[in-house]
Amino acid sequence: MIASISGKIMRKTGLAAVVDVHGVGYKVHVPASELVELAAGSEVAFFTHLAVKEDALDLYGSQDPKVIEWFAMLLHVKGIGPKSALSIVSVARPQDLSAALQSKSPEVLVQCGVSKKVSERIVLELANKAKDLIDVQDMTTKESIILDGEALQALEALGYSREQAREALQDAEGDDVGAKVKSALKALGK
């Protein structure tokens, strides 16, 4: 199938980018977290997954190969199709999915914004299937992800977008929600 695609962004539509590859425009559905960073006219390279349905061929992509690996793995979960998998990888990063499966804790994904029912199904059905994708080196603890999730919600309540809040929390320090939020606010104030 189509494993990757590279070219120039022609335009963005909804949750997709149209990529010009030597005069042919390919519509690539991209996680919302990546789509906001793409600009028309910029060069891009996506790792892709082609979803084949009876009435459509849909291309899903990410600039991070781990995101596409997790996307494809999520398709093995009952009730999760390509659109649902795309929305999950838009809010849960590969390290969040790794931590949830490693700790067998759906709460990690709930803190990222995935519904409780879907989070439980992901942990239950992928615990043994996704062992190759779990990145132990980049593993964060369940507690730190839940702390970051609470801090993320606090920053969103203050009016920051999810992406702004996530970026600010990457380098934020603190052992409780208040300290994390203060540290993130300093980063946002630059």
Side-chain angles (χ1 to χ4, degrees), residues 24-150:
V24 178
Y26 292 91
K27 185 176 182 179
V28 182
H29 299 275
V30 181
S33 53
E34 291 184 41
L35 190 62
V36 296
E37 298 176 7
L38 299 175
S42 63
E43 291 289 326
V44 69
F46 290 122
F47 295 93
T48 61
H49 176 86
L50 181 64
V52 179
K53 294 189 290 185
E54 190 175 296
D55 59 343
L57 297 172
D58 292 321
L59 198 57
Y60 293 85
S62 173
Q63 295 178 67
D64 182 352
K66 287 183 180 181
V67 171
I68 286 300
E69 289 172 357
W70 277 107
F71 172 86
M73 185 58 67
L74 287 168
L75 296 176
H76 294 284
V77 177
K78 182 180 179 189
I80 295 180
K83 289 181 182 176
S84 297
L86 182 65
S87 66
I88 291 168
V89 297
S90 290
V91 295
R93 300 167 296 183
Q95 57 265 36
D96 299 331
L97 290 158
S98 288
L101 293 179
Q102 182 71 22
S103 64
K104 293 184 173 45
S105 174
E107 293 86 21
V108 172
L109 296 177
V110 170
Q111 287 296 326
C112 293
V114 180
S115 76
K116 183 176 182 182
K117 184 177 179 180
V118 172
S119 297
E120 289 171 348
R121 200 173 321 126
I122 289 170
V123 170
L124 178 68
E125 293 187 30
L126 295 183
N128 293 324
K129 291 181 184 176
K131 288 183 178 178
D132 294 343
L133 292 179
I134 296 174
D135 190 358
V136 180
Q137 295 173 332
D138 197 28
M139 187 63 61
T140 53
T141 65
K142 170 185 167 183
E143 291 78 18
S144 70
I145 289 177
I146 291 174
L147 178 67
D148 282 350
E150 291 173 0

